[in-house]
Amino acid sequence: MKESLKTVLEQKGVVLDWHRLGLLTGLSPESSKEYYSELCEKNRTCFGGNNCPQFATENVNFGLVEALMDLGEWDALEGYLIEPMSRLEKSGAEAIAVCSNTIHRVLDHACNVINVPIIHIGDCVAAKIAELGLERVGFLGTNTTMSEDFMLKHLAKSGAQILPPPKQYRRQIDQIIFTELCKGVVMNSSRHFLLETIACMVDLYDIQGVVLGCTELPLSICREHQLDYISSYKEKHGREFYFFDSEQIHVAALAEFCHSGKLPVSV
């Protein structure tokens, strides 16, 4: 591009220099839509006009992904996902983000195969928890993420004790995610169950906040419901309660990378 044209465009407020990000999407499509729109909106808000970051996406078949997870075929799933991640790298992506908490289960090996940084959703959330210095934080997600340690160990870098709900709650939460939220279905009864689960964790573990550790969960417990819960909690306990929306926290880190090239600081 001619320097004279570049100067004119910059004077018009057009951002020309972006760090190229790669997004692995479709995990599920409902949350991927939020990633796309929020990533564009955060940069538009930051720079004004109609500026949007330049990023590449590889969208996978969530039906196949879900089936492989149900069968416990994690090696096959890893092989399936490595290919689109490799294509993102070859497209010029300087970093890659996986738009799902549960799929981070296959990333430990992927990090040894992919030659660009993977911006880990758990590390981004852990940094936010660490900023507040909390001691006990609840965690909601799919049954896999609540029952295994691949995400919990990243969150524990915050210095907080990360506490999933008792086992009797986990199957229903998993069902709400896969049979409702992943299909864009939001039911009041399911929201009540999720909020009751959080209340139970407050009573059992005295948690000071909770991680919405599935990118679909904010479709049910949206910001309005979070604020209502925080208000009632503060009235009852006389202190703050915190919701950590893993998707929003992840997107904020990705937006920062797109315009500055800065990777999240590990705690």
Side-chain angles (χ1 to χ4, degrees), residues 26 29 50 58 73 114 157 173 175 189 229 252 262:
N50 284 314
E58 278 280 345
E73 293 286 348
I114 304 301
K157 294 178 184 179
I173 295 171
Q175 185 176 22
S189 58
Y229 187 91
K262 180 180 178 182

Side-chain angles (χ1 to χ4, degrees), residues 137-200:
V137 176
F139 178 86
L140 299 182
T142 63
N143 189 51
T144 299
T145 54
M146 290 187 290
S147 302
E148 300 184 27
D149 72 348
F150 64 92
M151 184 61 66
L152 302 180
K153 68 184 180 183
H154 279 269
L155 296 173
K157 294 178 184 179
S158 65
Q161 186 178 8
I162 308 299
L163 299 158
K167 289 183 179 180
Q168 63 265 30
Y169 292 89
R170 299 180 191 178
R171 287 293 179 187
Q172 187 166 344
I173 295 171
D174 192 79
Q175 185 176 22
I176 289 169
I177 291 168
F178 282 104
T179 65
E180 298 172 21
L181 299 179
C182 284
K183 298 176 181 177
V185 177
V186 179
M187 298 181 65
N188 288 332
S189 58
S190 295
R191 179 185 301 112
H192 292 323
F193 177 81
L194 293 170
L195 292 173
E196 287 171 4
T197 301
I198 295 170
C200 172

Side-chain angles (χ1 to χ4, degrees), residues 21-25 35-36 39 55-59 88 95-99 254:
L21 176 69
L23 293 179
L24 189 65
T25 60
Y35 265 90
Y36 182 90
L39 187 55
F55 54 88
T57 63
E58 278 280 345
N59 199 71
L88 287 170
I96 291 172
V98 176
C99 302
L254 302 182

